[in-house]
Amino acid sequence: MAKSGRAAAVEDLQRVLAFKGEIMSAAQRHGARACVVAAILSRETRGLPKFFIGDGGHGCGPMQIDDRSFPDVCREYKAGRKTNAEMIDFGAKVLREKVMALRENRHLGGDRVKLECAGIAAYNCGQGNVAKLLAAGRDVDAYTTGKDYSADVLERAAFFAENGFGG
C-alpha cells in the first residue's frame, strides 16, 4: 500500500524542499498556507523533480492542474512554455479560489477549519461536488481520490509546518 499522510510527507520532505522558494512565494501571493501548498504538491507528485503529466494525461505540473478544467494552462505547460514554478503558483491560486468560492456555504457555518478542508477537497474533485456533499451532510472527501484527500493533505501539512513551511 502506498504511503500517505505523515509517513509520505517524511519520505517526500527532501524533494519538496527543492520547491520551497516557489511554494513560499506562491502561498504568500495567493493567501494560502505554505504547508498546505507543500502538502498538495507532496500528495500529487511526491515532489519528484521532473516534467509532470499524470492522472491519465490530465494532470499537469507538480500540483497536477487538471487540463479539463484549465486547458490553456496545461497546454502551455505540456509545450514547455510554463515552468514548474508557474504551475505551483497556479495551483496555489486555484486552491485559494476554491476556498473563496466555498466560504459562504451555509453548511460550513463559518468554521475556518471546515472551510479549509472543503477547499482542499474541492481542489481535487471540484467545488460543485464539494457543495453537493456539504448540502447532503456528507464528508467532503467522499468524491476525492482515495476518499481521503483533504484529511491526507492536512496530515502532511502538519508535518510540513513543523519542517520550515510555516503554519
Coordinates of all heavy atoms in Angstrom, one line a residue, residues 60 65 70-78 82 87 90:
C60 N -1.3 18.2 -14.8 CA -0.1 18.9 -15.3 C 0.7 19.5 -14.2 O 0.1 20.2 -13.3 CB -0.5 20.0 -16.3 SG -1.4 19.4 -17.7
I65 N -2.4 20.2 -12.0 CA -3.6 21.0 -12.6 C -4.3 20.2 -13.6 O -3.6 19.6 -14.5 CB -3.0 22.4 -13.1 CG1 -2.2 23.2 -12.1 CG2 -4.1 23.2 -13.7 CD1 -2.9 23.5 -10.8
F70 N -8.5 23.5 -16.8 CA -7.6 24.6 -17.2 C -6.8 24.2 -18.5 O -5.6 24.0 -18.4 CB -6.7 24.9 -16.0 CG -7.4 25.2 -14.8 CD1 -7.6 24.3 -13.8 CD2 -8.0 26.5 -14.6 CE1 -8.2 24.6 -12.6 CE2 -8.7 26.8 -13.4 CZ -8.8 25.8 -12.4
P71 N -7.5 24.0 -19.6 CA -6.8 23.5 -20.8 C -5.7 24.4 -21.3 O -4.7 23.9 -21.7 CB -8.0 23.4 -21.8 CG -9.0 24.3 -21.3 CD -8.9 24.3 -19.8
D72 N -5.9 25.7 -21.2 CA -4.9 26.6 -21.7 C -3.6 26.6 -20.9 O -2.5 26.5 -21.5 CB -5.4 28.1 -21.8 CG -6.5 28.3 -22.8 OD1 -6.6 27.4 -23.7 OD2 -7.3 29.3 -22.6
V73 N -3.7 26.6 -19.6 CA -2.5 26.5 -18.7 C -1.8 25.2 -19.0 O -0.6 25.2 -19.1 CB -3.0 26.6 -17.2 CG1 -1.8 26.3 -16.3 CG2 -3.6 28.0 -17.0
C74 N -2.5 24.1 -19.0 CA -1.9 22.8 -19.2 C -1.3 22.7 -20.6 O -0.2 22.1 -20.8 CB -2.9 21.7 -18.9 SG -3.2 21.5 -17.2
R75 N -1.9 23.2 -21.6 CA -1.3 23.2 -23.0 C 0.0 23.9 -23.0 O 1.0 23.4 -23.5 CB -2.3 23.8 -24.0 CG -1.9 23.7 -25.4 CD -3.0 24.2 -26.4 NE -4.0 25.1 -25.9 CZ -5.2 24.7 -25.6 NH1 -5.6 23.4 -25.6 NH2 -6.1 25.6 -25.1
E76 N 0.1 25.0 -22.3 CA 1.3 25.8 -22.2 C 2.4 25.0 -21.4 O 3.6 25.0 -21.8 CB 1.1 27.1 -21.4 CG 0.3 28.1 -22.2 CD 1.0 28.7 -23.4 OE1 2.1 29.2 -23.2 OE2 0.5 28.6 -24.5
Y77 N 2.0 24.3 -20.4 CA 3.0 23.5 -19.6 C 3.5 22.3 -20.4 O 4.7 22.1 -20.5 CB 2.3 23.0 -18.3 CG 3.3 22.2 -17.5 CD1 4.3 22.8 -16.7 CD2 3.2 20.8 -17.4 CE1 5.2 22.1 -16.0 CE2 4.1 20.1 -16.6 CZ 5.1 20.7 -15.9 OH 5.9 20.0 -15.2
K78 N 2.6 21.6 -21.1 CA 2.9 20.5 -21.9 C 3.8 20.9 -23.1 O 4.7 20.1 -23.5 CB 1.7 19.8 -22.4 CG 1.0 19.0 -21.3 CD -0.3 18.4 -21.8 CE -1.0 17.6 -20.7 NZ -2.3 17.0 -21.2
K82 N 5.5 26.8 -19.8 CA 5.2 27.2 -18.4 C 6.2 26.3 -17.5 O 6.4 25.1 -17.8 CB 3.8 26.9 -18.0 CG 2.8 28.0 -18.4 CD 1.7 28.2 -17.4 CE 0.8 29.2 -17.8 NZ 1.3 30.6 -17.8
M87 N 3.5 26.6 -12.4 CA 2.4 25.7 -12.1 C 2.2 25.6 -10.6 O 1.0 25.4 -10.1 CB 2.7 24.3 -12.6 CG 2.8 24.3 -14.2 SD 1.3 24.9 -15.0 CE 0.3 23.5 -15.0
F90 N 0.2 28.7 -9.9 CA -1.2 28.5 -10.4 C -2.0 27.6 -9.5 O -3.2 27.8 -9.2 CB -1.2 27.9 -11.8 CG -2.6 28.0 -12.5 CD1 -3.0 29.2 -13.0 CD2 -3.4 26.9 -12.5 CE1 -4.3 29.3 -13.6 CE2 -4.6 26.9 -13.1 CZ -5.1 28.1 -13.6

